[in-house]
Amino acid sequence: MLYYLAVADAKTSWKDDAIKYMEQVEDLTVPSDSTLSWMYNGLRQVYPKWNPRYEESILKLLEINPSRYALLNLLGQTFETTDTQKAINYYKRYLKAVPEEERKKYPTSIHVDHALKFIENQGRNEKTEQFWKGK
C-alpha cells in the first residue's frame, strides 16, 4: 500500500511524502530479487534525477538484473547536462551491453545512435577546448 501511495504522490506536488513512504517500504521489504526489483523501481520513480538515491536505485536494479541494459542509457541521459564524463561512462557501458542483433531494432537503434553521437560530440568539444588552450 505504501508503495502505491509513494508512486502516486511522486506524480503530484507531494514528492517529499513519496520519498518518505518509499523509505518506509525499503525498511519493510523482505529481501528477495523480485521484491527488491519492485522496490528499487519505485525508488527510481519517487526520487528526482538530481538526487543520488535515483542513480543508486538504478544501479541496484542493474545489479539484480544485468540484462536491463536500457537503464544504463537512462543514466547516460540523466547526466548529459550535469556531469558529461559520467554520462559518457554510462553510454559506453550501455553500448557494450546492447546485443549486436538489438542495435538495428527500433527503438534501441535510436538510443544507440544518440549515445554514439553524444560521445563523439563530447570528444570534439574536448579537442576544441584543448586547441584553444594551446595543448
Side-chain angles (χ1 to χ4, degrees), residues 25-44:
V25 168
E26 191 174 16
D27 292 339
L28 296 171
T29 299
V30 177
S32 76
D33 284 351
S34 62
T35 54
L36 288 176
S37 179
W38 170 76
M39 181 191 68
Y40 286 123
N41 194 43
L43 288 169
R44 179 188 63 82

Side-chain angles (χ1 to χ4, degrees), residues 58-114:
I58 293 178
L59 292 174
K60 291 286 188 177
L61 282 169
L62 278 167
E63 189 178 306
I64 292 168
N65 187 355
S67 66
R68 293 184 66 186
Y69 53 82
L71 292 172
L72 292 167
N73 182 50
L74 181 63
L75 285 171
Q77 291 173 9
T78 301
F79 291 107
E80 275 188 14
T81 57
T82 57
D83 189 342
T84 54
Q85 190 56 48
K86 201 178 242 190
I88 289 171
N89 290 339
Y90 281 125
Y91 278 140
K92 286 180 178 179
R93 285 179 59 190
Y94 170 70
L95 292 170
K96 286 180 185 176
V98 176
E100 194 62 40
E101 62 274 3
E102 291 293 316
R103 290 175 177 257
K104 303 277 188 245
K105 293 181 182 175
Y106 178 84
T108 306
S109 62
I110 293 171
H111 297 300
V112 167
D113 289 345
H114 176 79

Side-chain angles (χ1 to χ4, degrees), residues 4-19 42 45-47:
Y4 292 112
L5 183 58
V7 171
D9 282 354
K11 297 176 191 309
T12 67
S13 61
W14 298 320
K15 295 184 185 336
D16 292 336
D17 289 343
I19 292 171
Q45 292 179 47
V46 300
Y47 280 103

